[in-house]
Amino acid sequence: MNKNSVDNISAETAGTLAGLFRERVRRTPDLVAYRQYDESDDQWKDYTWRAMADAVARWQAAFEQEDLQAGDRVSILMRNCREWVQFEQAALGCGLVVVPLYTDDRAENMAYILNDAGAKVIFLQDEEHWERLLEVRDQLGSLLRILTLEPVVVPDGETRVRTVADWLPDSDEGLREDDGDTDDLATIVYTSGTTGRPKGVMLSHRNILMNTETVRDVVEIYTEDVFLSFLPLSHMLERTVGYYVPMKTGASIAYARSIPQLAEDLVTIRPTILISVPRIYERVYNKIQAGLAEKSPLAAGLFNLAVDTGWARFLHQQGRGPWKSSFLLWPLLNKLVAGKILAKLGGRMRIAVAGGAPLPPAVARVFIGLGLNLVQGYGLTETSPIISGNPPDNNDPASVGIPLGCVEVKIGDNDELLTRSPCVMLGYWNNEEATRDIIDSYGWLHTGDK
C-alpha cells in the first residue's frame, strides 16, 4: 500500500462490531493486525487479520458447544492481548454480550458484577486472577464455564474450569454471520461511582460504531499507523479508540508488555499513535525535570529555550501567535534537544491522545513545545465514550475541544453539561431509576460536569 493509505469501514457497512471485524478481514486479510510479545520465544510476533479470523472462528465453534443463547452475558478478566480480542469478537459474533472486568478490582466487586450481569462464562488470564476469583467462588453460581489462558490449580469438585487450549476445538466452520442487529446490546461496562454499587452501562453496537466515526473529526487514521496499547481494554477510551478504531481503519496494534516496560516498548515498537491518561505524561515530565536538575545550567537553559521556541511555533501554526525570529533556531534545537527526547517515544509519534482527566497545562506545554502532537478530549463511559476533542489544526490544550460529529451538547440548569447523540448508552443494566436520573425524556444525558 502507498504511504498514508485510507481505508475506513463505515458504521453502516459494519452493521455490528462483529461485522466490522469480518469486513476488515475481507479487505486486508494479510495485513498485520496485532503484535504481541511471546515470552516462550522471547520475541515479538505479528498476527494478520486472516490468522485472527481463523482463531475467532475456533472460539465461536467452542461457544456453540456451551449452553448459551443470543443475549447471554460472558465476561473477561484479562490484560490487553490478542486473546482478549479473539474472545470478544467470537462472543459478539455469536450474539453474546461482553462484560469486561478490571484486572485490579477487588474480588467482592467482581462477584457483584458477575452476578448482576448474570454472566455464564468468564475468561481469565492466569493463577493470579484465578486466586482472586477463588476468594468469592461460592458467590459465582451463575457461571457455567471458567476459561483460563494459562493452567491453574483447580480445587477438587470444581468442574467448570478448563484451559482455552483444551476447550477450543481443532476445526471450525468459518466466521458466523448471524450476529444480530446494530441496535442490539453489545457490552455492559460497569463504572464505579463515588457511592453505591457499580452501575452497568449498556452500549449497543450502534453506540460504539457511531463513536468510532467521530474520531475522524479529530484526526485521520491510516492503515500504516501503529498503536501501542497499554490502557486497560476494560475502559471504553482504550476499547473504542485503541481497539475498534484501528480495526475500522486497518491500522495495527502492538500490546505493551507492562507499564514498567513501557519505555522500552516505545523504542522497540515505534508507535505512530499513543492513547494515554495524563499520569503517564506526568510521569515522563517528572523524569525530564529530575534529569534537568542534575544537568548543567547550560543544558537546562537549552532545554527551556527549545520548549519556549517550540511552544511559540505551535501558537503561530495555530493562528494564535506571531512569527518570531527565534523560529530560525528550531532545526538546531530540534536536533540537540527535542528530537532526542521524542526518540524515547519511538521517534515517529504522529498523534498522542490524553483523556480520562485534565492534563496539567505545564505538562502539555512541555510536550507540545518539544513537537509532540498532543491532543485532549472528553467523554464518559455512558457516551461510548467520546463527546469532544481537539483537532490538531485547532488545538487548545487548555480545553477539551469541540463536540464531534453527531454529538450535540448544551448547558442545562446550574451550568451542567448535557449531551445527546447516537453514542449515548441504552441505559443502566437492571437499574431503570438510575437511567431516568441521567437521561431525560428528550434524550439528553446529564453528565454532572460543569
Side-chain angles (χ1 to χ4, degrees):
M1 286 191 174
N2 296 327
K3 186 178 181 181
N4 294 345
S5 308
V6 176
D7 182 24
N8 276 290
I9 300 171
S10 69
E12 182 179 7
T13 298
T16 63
L17 295 169
L20 177 67
F21 176 71
R22 289 193 300 270
E23 179 64 12
R24 174 49 57 203
V25 173
R26 186 189 70 79
R27 290 192 186 189
T28 54
D30 298 318
L31 283 186
V32 173
Y34 301 97
R35 178 172 297 169
Q36 186 166 312
Y37 190 77
D38 189 325
E39 293 186 358
S40 62
D41 290 343
D42 194 26
Q43 63 179 332
W44 291 89
K45 290 186 176 181
D46 292 342
Y47 302 88
T48 65
W49 290 107
R50 189 194 307 275
M52 288 294 291
D54 291 342
V56 168
R58 288 181 65 205
W59 276 86
Q60 289 180 347
F63 274 129
E64 290 170 0
Q65 297 172 4
E66 301 290 343
D67 184 19
L68 299 171
Q69 305 296 322
D72 282 346
R73 278 75 60 201
V74 296
S75 189
I76 183 166
L77 176 62
M78 296 275 293
R79 295 185 288 273
N80 295 10
C81 58
R82 65 186 173 89
E83 290 86 359
W84 206 108
V85 176
Q86 290 168 2
F87 175 87
E88 195 207 38
Q89 284 299 324
L92 293 173
C94 292
L96 303 173
V97 177
V98 177
V99 183
L101 296 177
Y102 304 108
T103 56
D104 58 353
D105 205 353
R106 292 182 296 110
E108 293 78 11
N109 266 354
M110 292 182 185
Y112 171 79
I113 291 170
L114 290 169
N115 284 321
D116 187 61
K120 293 189 175 181
V121 176
I122 186 170
F123 177 34
L124 54 89
Q125 188 105 26
D126 52 24
E127 189 73 38
E128 176 188 348
H129 294 148
W130 172 232
E131 288 179 357
R132 191 86 55 86
L133 279 188
L134 277 177
E135 298 177 31
V136 291
R137 184 168 63 118
D138 59 341
Q139 302 173 39
L140 305 179
S142 68
L143 288 176
L144 303 177
R145 178 68 64 203
I146 300 170
L147 302 170
T148 68
L149 184 61
E150 301 174 17
V152 298
V153 178
V154 182
D156 292 338
E158 179 56 83
T159 60
R160 296 173 294 179
V161 180
R162 292 187 67 180
T163 62
V164 168
D166 292 337
W167 182 69
L168 291 176
D170 294 330
S171 61
D172 61 79
E173 297 181 359
L175 291 175
R176 288 181 50 161
E177 298 193 10
D178 56 344
D179 48 290
D181 185 74
T182 188
D183 290 312
D184 288 347
L185 179 61
T187 187
I188 305 173
V189 182
Y190 282 78
T191 61
S192 56
T194 53
T195 59
R197 291 287 196 177
K199 295 193 289 289
V201 175
M202 296 190 293
L203 299 176
S204 69
H205 295 269
R206 184 192 301 275
N207 288 154
I208 298 170
L209 286 170
M210 291 302 295
N211 206 247
T212 66
E213 301 274 72
T214 69
V215 172
R216 295 188 68 186
D217 296 321
V218 179
V219 63
E220 188 74 79
I221 308 296
Y222 305 114
T223 52
E224 292 80 10
D225 276 318
V226 178
F227 288 66
L228 183 63
S229 174
F230 66 92
L231 291 185
L233 280 165
S234 48
H235 291 272
M236 283 310 298
L237 175 60
E238 180 65 22
R239 196 159 159 205
T240 295
V241 184
Y243 164 21
Y244 296 127
V245 167
M247 187 176 292
K248 170 187 174 68
T249 58
S252 62
I253 299 172
Y255 292 111
R257 292 172 292 173
S258 67
I259 294 297
Q261 295 169 298
L262 182 58
E264 183 180 339
D265 290 349
L266 281 164
V267 174
T268 300
I269 299 300
R270 302 183 66 233
T272 61
I273 298 179
L274 186 71
I275 301 163
S276 185
V277 289
R279 73 172 181 270
I280 298 296
Y281 298 107
E282 291 174 43
R283 188 177 299 174
V284 178
Y285 170 85
N286 291 334
K287 188 173 182 179
I288 291 173
Q289 297 301 318
L292 288 173
E294 298 177 357
K295 292 185 179 295
S296 67
L298 177 62
L302 190 63
F303 174 84
N304 291 329
L305 178 60
V307 170
D308 292 345
T309 302
W311 178 256
R313 289 178 76 247
F314 164 75
L315 293 178
H316 176 65
Q317 292 163 355
Q318 294 285 316
R320 298 197 295 270
W323 184 88
K324 295 183 178 182
S325 59
S326 60
F327 295 173
L328 299 173
L329 294 173
W330 181 250
L332 180 61
L333 294 172
N334 185 42
K335 181 178 180 180
L336 296 177
V337 181
K340 291 182 177 179
I341 293 176
L342 294 186
K344 295 180 180 179
L345 300 178
R348 59 172 186 170
M349 190 80 68
R350 195 169 67 81
I351 295 288
V353 177
L359 185 66
V363 177
R365 189 178 189 277
V366 164
F367 282 110
I368 291 174
L370 291 171
L372 185 65
N373 194 3
L374 178 61
V375 297
Q376 294 189 78
Y378 164 74
L380 305 168
T381 301
E382 288 85 347
T383 57
S384 306
I386 306 170
I387 293 174
S388 66
N390 273 297
D393 59 354
N394 185 22
N395 184 10
D396 180 0
S399 80
V400 292
I402 58 177
L404 303 182
C406 55
V407 177
E408 298 177 76
V409 297
K410 71 175 184 178
I411 303 301
D413 296 339
N414 301 315
D415 294 330
E416 182 185 20
L417 178 67
L418 277 58
T419 183
R420 183 170 65 182
S421 77
C423 310
V424 170
M425 67 173 179
L426 302 178
Y428 290 120
W429 177 261
N430 287 339
N431 200 333
E432 292 183 5
E433 181 180 356
T435 301
R436 289 193 299 270
D437 288 343
I438 196 172
I439 302 176
D440 65 28
S441 59
Y442 298 99
W444 290 98
L445 184 141
H446 295 240
T447 67
D449 293 326
K450 298 181 179 181

